[in-house]
Amino acid sequence: MNTPISWIKAYVPELDVKLAEGTQEEKEAAVKAYVDAMTLSGSHAEGYELKNKYIEKVVVGKIEKIEQHPDADKLVVCQVNIGSETIQIVTGAPNVKEGDLVPTVLDGGMVPFHHTKDNKYELVQGGNKITAGALRGVPSAGMMCSACELVRDYSLFKDEDRNADPEAGVYIFPADADVKPGDDVTNALHLNDAVVEYEITSNRVDCFSMIGMARETAVTFRKPFEEPKITVKGNGGDVNDYASVEVLDTDLCKRYCARVVTDIKLAPSPLWMQERLRAQGIRPINNLVDITNYVMEEYGQPMHAFDLDTVAGHKIVVRRAKDGEKFTTLDGIERELDKDVLMICDGEKEIGIAGIMGGENSMVTDSIKNLLFEAACFDGTNIRLSSRRLDMPTDAAGKFVKGLDPNLALTAINRACQLIEELDCGKVVDGVIDIYPEPVKEKVLPFEPEKMNKLLGTDISEQEMLDIFKRLELVYNEAERTLTIPTFRQDLTCVADLAEEVARFTGYDNIPVTLPGSSTVGKLSYEDRICGVLRDTCEANGFSGAMGYSFESPKAFDKLCIPADDKLRQAVTISNPLGEDFSIMRTVTLNGMMTWLSTNYNRRNKAARLYEIANVYLPKALPLTELPEEKLKLTLGCYGAGDFFDLKGVVEELLDKLMITQGVSFAPTAEYSFLHPGRTANINKGKLNLGYIGQVHPEVCDNYDIKADCYVAVLDLATLCMLAREDKKYTSLSKYPAITRDIQLTISQMPTVSSENGSYKLTGTYLGDIEGCIKKQGGNLLEECSLVDEFENRVVYHLSYRSAKETLEAQKVNGIVKDTLLALEKLGIDVSRAWSEELYGPK
C-alpha cells in the first residue's frame, strides 16, 4: 500500500512532518521518524521515497525573450525571469516559446535524473549538479529541465497540454497553473512529499485505503482525525425514475448501491487530485475517471461508471453467467465465462464482470451525457477465483478479494457524487438505489481490562485503555461495560484483539518483560525426550540427520531383495499418488537410507554416517479396514567409516544412554534378506526384540550402485521408550580389592553359514555365546569381562571379580571360574589351556 504523506495530512492536518524545509538529511530524518513510529504501532513500513530528493535550487522561470544562437542552428538563447532577476539560459529544447513558465535549475542546483546519450534518464546518486557555463561560446546561467529530470515516472505527466514527454523538450506549466516566476518548483509540482510503502496484513482490510492509514496515523501520533464531511446536494428528481437494480445472486453480492448523474461535462480534474493520483502511480485521465480512482484509493471501495444511455431498459441485473457465454471486456478481449462468474447485466445483455472489469459495450466515452455510478460489495472468494480463472488481476479485484465492509459502499458512492458536484462534472439525481438484504451489524465485545492486562503482563489503567479505544472509534457503553466495534474493523473479534490494540498504541517498547501467567509448565513429551537423547548420541558419534518421504515406490522391495511372500511387501497403496515412485506407504526404512548412502557414495564422499527417526506403516489387513499401525524406527547407516563392530559400539552407547544395559544380547541371525547372513544380529533384551544390526547384502549394495561395504542398524523406538529410564541412580565404588583371572579358550567349531534350499543356516559358537555364559556364571561379582587377544580359533578373556560388601577370597573366585569353564565346555569350547588343577582341582 503506497501512501503519500501529503494525502494523509488531508485527514490528519495537525501531523507535523516537515518535507519542504531544511537540508536533505533533515528531510530524510523527518520521514524516517514518521515511518519508525508507524512501524512500532503495527503498520509495518517496507520503505519510503522522498519525491523532492536531490532537487535543489530549482525555481519557476518565465521565458521573456528567445533569440537564435549565433553559432548553432539547434540552440536558442532565452532570457528567463526567475523573480529576483532575469538570467540567460541556452537550450536546445524545440518546444519553448516566449511567455512559457518552465522549471529552471539555477547555478549550483541539482536534479535527481540525468539525460543519457541514448535518450534515457538515470538516477544519479547524490544528485545531478548543474553549474553555469557556456554553450558554443554563449554564457548559460543554468538549465531548463524536462519532467523526467525531476520525477521517476514521467509517463504520469504525459498530457498534450503539459508537454511532459521528454521528446517534446522541457516541461511547460499549464496555463491555469497557480505559479509565478521565482516559485519553488517542488511546491509548484507538489514534490514536497514522501510516499511510504506499507505491508498490510490481510486481516486489516480497512488499511488498504488512505482513510484507513490516516486513522492509524492519527491514533499513533495522538492527533485529531478529520474524515471528509460528505454532503450531496442533489439536483432534484428521483433516481428510481432513471434506473432500477435487481440482484438475483445475493450470496455473491451482499450490497449494491447505484446513483445517477446527468448532464456530464468531461474536463481535466483539478491539479490537487491529479497529484494525489500520480503519487499512487495512477495517471490522470479526466474528471470522471479520476473521481472513481480517487474514491477507490481514498476509501478502498472500487467503483464503476456505466454510460446510462447504453444500459438497455436502464435496468441493472446482477446474476451468474452461463457456461460458455462470451463477453468482451473494456480491454477489447473476448472472454469465455462459466456459471461461477458473477456478471453485471442490463435488460438485454451483460455489461460488466462484477468486481473485475466493465464491458466494452457500456464503456464511458467522451460523448457520455448520463452516468450510472456503481458501488457494491461482492464476495471476495468468488472474485479471487474468477479473476484467476479469467487471468484478470485488476486493481478492483485486488480490493474485493480482501473482503470489504458492505457499509462502505454507500459512503463511497456518496463521496463520488459529492466530488461530481464540487468539480462541476454533472448533476446528481436525488436518491440512492440500495439493495442490502442482510445488513452487517456492529459487533459488541465486553470491556475486560483485567483480562487484557493479564494477557499483556501490564498494569495499564482503564482510562488509558478507553482513551485508545475512543481514538480507534470504538464506542464504550459504561452501563453494560461493552465496546461497540465499527464494521470497518473486521479484525476485532475477541478480547485478545482488543488487547493487541492496547499494546500497539501503548507502545510495544513500553510493555515490560514478564513470564506468562500460567499454572502449567510446558515441556517435551517422554517420547520426544528419548528421541532427543538418541539424536544427540548419534550426532556425537559423527552421524548426520536425514529425512525422507513416507511414500515410496514398490520397486524398493526388489532393490532390497525382499522375497515375494514377505510380509514387508504388504504395503498401504495410495489412492491418488503423485506417481509410481510415491504410490505406497513404506514398511521398511532401509530404502531411504540406502538411497542417501548411494547419493553420498556417487558424489565421491569417502565416508558417510547417517541416521533417521521416522515411521513405518504396517497394515493390519489388506484391503484396509482400519488405519495402519505406525511404528517409529531409528535407522543408522554408514560406509567407509568403521565396520560392523564400530556400528555395534554406537548401538551399545545408545542403549547405555537410555540405561538399557542389563540382559542385552546380540544374537546372530540370517532372517533378513537384505543383510549379509553371516554378519547380522538381532538386538534382544530377554525375550524382547529391540531391533537388528548387520552388513548390507552385497547384492543390495549393487542395486543401489554402492561399491563399498555398508552397515545398518534399526531400533524400535516404542520398545526403547518402554525400557528406557530417566532416573539415574548413584552407586558408590567398592572399597574392596578385585581378583583377576585370564583364561584362554579354544573354539572347536567356528561360526559358519550354510545355504539350504535358498535359506541360510548358522552353525558354530559365537563370542557372544561365550561372553553370555561367562556373565551368567559370574553374576553380580563379575565386574569386567573383556576380550584381550584373538588368534585364529583361540581367544583370551580378562575377568575381574569384586564384591561391594567384602573382600573376596581366592577360593570363592576359583570356584566361580571353575563353574564358568565347565559351562563353557558344555558349549563345545576347549578349556584345557585355561584349566589349572592348582586353582580348580581335577575336572
Side-chain angles (χ1 to χ4, degrees), residues 550-554 557 568-587 617-626 628:
S550 296
F551 301 156
E552 286 188 338
S553 168
F557 298 131
L568 292 178
R569 285 184 176 264
Q570 298 178 11
V572 178
T573 303
I574 307 301
S575 58
N576 56 341
L578 297 174
E580 185 183 3
D581 289 342
F582 303 95
S583 60
I584 63 169
M585 304 289 286
R586 65 180 179 184
T587 59
Y617 304 87
L618 306 176
K620 298 176 182 177
L622 288 176
L624 284 179
T625 57
E626 56 183 314

Side-chain angles (χ1 to χ4, degrees), residues 397-408:
K399 300 283 186 182
F400 280 116
V401 298
K402 305 291 189 293
L404 296 183
D405 173 19
N407 292 334
L408 189 63

Side-chain angles (χ1 to χ4, degrees), residues 712-750:
V712 296
V714 179
L715 298 173
D716 184 71
L717 266 293
T719 308
L720 294 184
C721 288
M722 178 181 68
L723 298 175
R725 296 201 324 271
E726 292 183 298
D727 53 327
K728 296 182 179 180
K729 295 182 179 180
Y730 167 75
T731 302
S732 61
L733 296 176
S734 175
K735 61 182 178 180
Y736 303 103
I739 296 179
T740 61
R741 294 286 187 269
D742 292 331
I743 59 174
Q744 179 176 309
L745 307 174
T746 303
I747 302 175
S748 303
Q749 187 178 1
M750 296 294 289

Side-chain angles (χ1 to χ4, degrees), residues 234-298:
N235 198 55
D238 184 354
V239 69
N240 295 297
D241 296 333
Y242 288 81
S244 62
V245 176
E246 183 182 8
V247 179
L248 299 181
D249 293 285
T250 55
D251 58 324
L252 301 183
C253 180
K254 299 177 182 177
R255 189 177 194 180
Y256 193 98
C257 297
R259 295 201 72 159
V260 173
V261 181
T262 62
D263 300 328
I264 295 294
K265 292 180 283 186
L266 295 181
S269 54
L271 189 59
W272 63 266
M273 180 176 285
Q274 293 187 34
E275 296 299 341
R276 289 182 181 177
L277 291 176
R278 286 193 187 100
Q280 284 295 91
I282 300 174
R283 181 171 170 254
I285 305 297
N286 57 49
N287 51 5
L288 186 58
V289 175
D290 292 353
I291 285 172
T292 59
N293 287 332
Y294 184 86
V295 173
M296 181 174 71
E297 296 300 322
E298 185 179 39

Side-chain angles (χ1 to χ4, degrees), residues 109-407:
M110 72 169 64
V111 290
F113 297 93
H114 169 65
H115 188 194
T116 62
K117 293 181 179 180
D118 54 353
N119 204 30
K120 294 182 180 180
Y121 287 81
E122 296 177 348
L123 177 67
V124 180
Q125 291 298 328
N128 181 24
K129 294 184 179 180
I130 307 298
T131 56
L135 289 177
R136 293 288 185 94
V138 176
S140 181
M143 181 186 77
M144 293 179 285
C145 58
S146 63
C148 51
E149 287 170 310
L150 294 170
V151 297
R152 184 180 297 276
D153 190 359
Y154 74 88
S155 64
L156 299 176
F157 283 87
K158 277 188 178 180
D159 188 277
E160 291 181 1
D161 296 332
R162 306 191 67 169
N163 294 316
D165 196 322
E167 295 180 1
V170 301
Y171 176 76
I172 299 174
F173 284 94
D176 60 346
D178 185 19
V179 295
K180 63 183 184 299
D183 286 351
D184 188 342
V185 161
T186 56
N187 286 328
L189 292 179
H190 300 275
L191 295 178
N192 289 322
D193 197 3
V195 178
V196 183
E197 181 185 0
Y198 290 101
E199 180 186 10
I200 308 297
T201 54
S202 58
N203 66 324
R204 290 303 305 273
V205 182
D206 57 304
C207 287
F208 286 94
S209 66
M210 294 299 158
I211 293 289
M213 290 311 302
R215 282 194 179 99
E216 289 291 301
T217 300
V219 181
T220 299
F221 290 92
R222 297 177 179 270
K223 302 293 183 182
F225 169 67
E226 297 181 7
E227 190 172 355
K229 295 179 180 179
I230 301 175
T231 55
V232 182
K233 298 176 182 177
N235 198 55
D238 184 354
V239 69
N240 295 297
D241 296 333
Y242 288 81
S244 62
V245 176
E246 183 182 8
V247 179
L248 299 181
D249 293 285
T250 55
D251 58 324
L252 301 183
C253 180
K254 299 177 182 177
R255 189 177 194 180
Y256 193 98
C257 297
R259 295 201 72 159
V260 173
V261 181
T262 62
D263 300 328
I264 295 294
K265 292 180 283 186
L266 295 181
S269 54
L271 189 59
W272 63 266
M273 180 176 285
Q274 293 187 34
E275 296 299 341
R276 289 182 181 177
L277 291 176
R278 286 193 187 100
Q280 284 295 91
I282 300 174
R283 181 171 170 254
I285 305 297
N286 57 49
N287 51 5
L288 186 58
V289 175
D290 292 353
I291 285 172
T292 59
N293 287 332
Y294 184 86
V295 173
M296 181 174 71
E297 296 300 322
E298 185 179 39
Y299 280 93
Q301 171 67 54
M303 301 189 64
H304 191 70
F306 296 102
D307 186 339
L308 184 60
D309 295 327
T310 64
V311 177
H314 291 184
K315 180 178 182 180
I316 295 293
V317 180
V318 184
R319 63 164 176 82
R320 296 174 188 265
K322 298 175 182 177
D323 286 332
E325 207 166 20
K326 302 291 180 64
F327 181 69
T328 303
T329 49
L330 278 173
D331 54 8
I333 301 175
E334 185 180 71
R335 304 177 190 275
E336 185 173 337
L337 311 175
D338 58 47
K339 61 180 177 59
D340 293 323
V341 178
L342 189 66
M343 299 297 294
I344 308 298
C345 310
D346 61 17
E348 299 174 356
K349 60 187 179 301
E350 300 81 12
I351 58 174
I353 302 177
I356 300 177
M357 187 179 287
E360 191 177 50
N361 55 9
S362 63
M363 66 185 297
V364 173
T365 63
D366 293 344
S367 61
I368 185 173
K369 296 298 181 185
N370 300 301
L371 171 76
L372 177 70
F373 258 138
E374 166 196 281
C377 182
F378 302 114
D379 179 70
T381 302
N382 177 263
I383 297 298
R384 176 175 59 82
L385 295 174
S386 298
S387 173
R388 181 180 297 177
R389 194 159 52 249
L390 298 174
D391 192 22
M392 299 178 69
T394 62
D395 289 340
K399 300 283 186 182
F400 280 116
V401 298
K402 305 291 189 293
L404 296 183
D405 173 19
N407 292 334

Side-chain angles (χ1 to χ4, degrees), residues 549-616:
Y549 291 111
S550 296
F551 301 156
E552 286 188 338
S553 168
K555 297 176 182 177
F557 298 131
D558 296 329
K559 295 179 72 175
L560 291 172
C561 299
I562 296 177
D565 58 348
D566 197 295
K567 288 186 177 181
L568 292 178
R569 285 184 176 264
Q570 298 178 11
V572 178
T573 303
I574 307 301
S575 58
N576 56 341
L578 297 174
E580 185 183 3
D581 289 342
F582 303 95
S583 60
I584 63 169
M585 304 289 286
R586 65 180 179 184
T587 59
V588 62
T589 59
L590 289 188
N591 176 58
M593 180 58 67
M594 292 302 296
T595 301
W596 303 323
L597 292 176
S598 173
T599 301
N600 280 272
Y601 180 82
N602 288 289
R603 290 182 181 175
R604 300 190 177 183
N605 287 335
K606 295 181 179 179
R609 285 189 164 198
L610 301 174
Y611 78 91
E612 181 193 27
I613 297 177
N615 282 319
V616 294

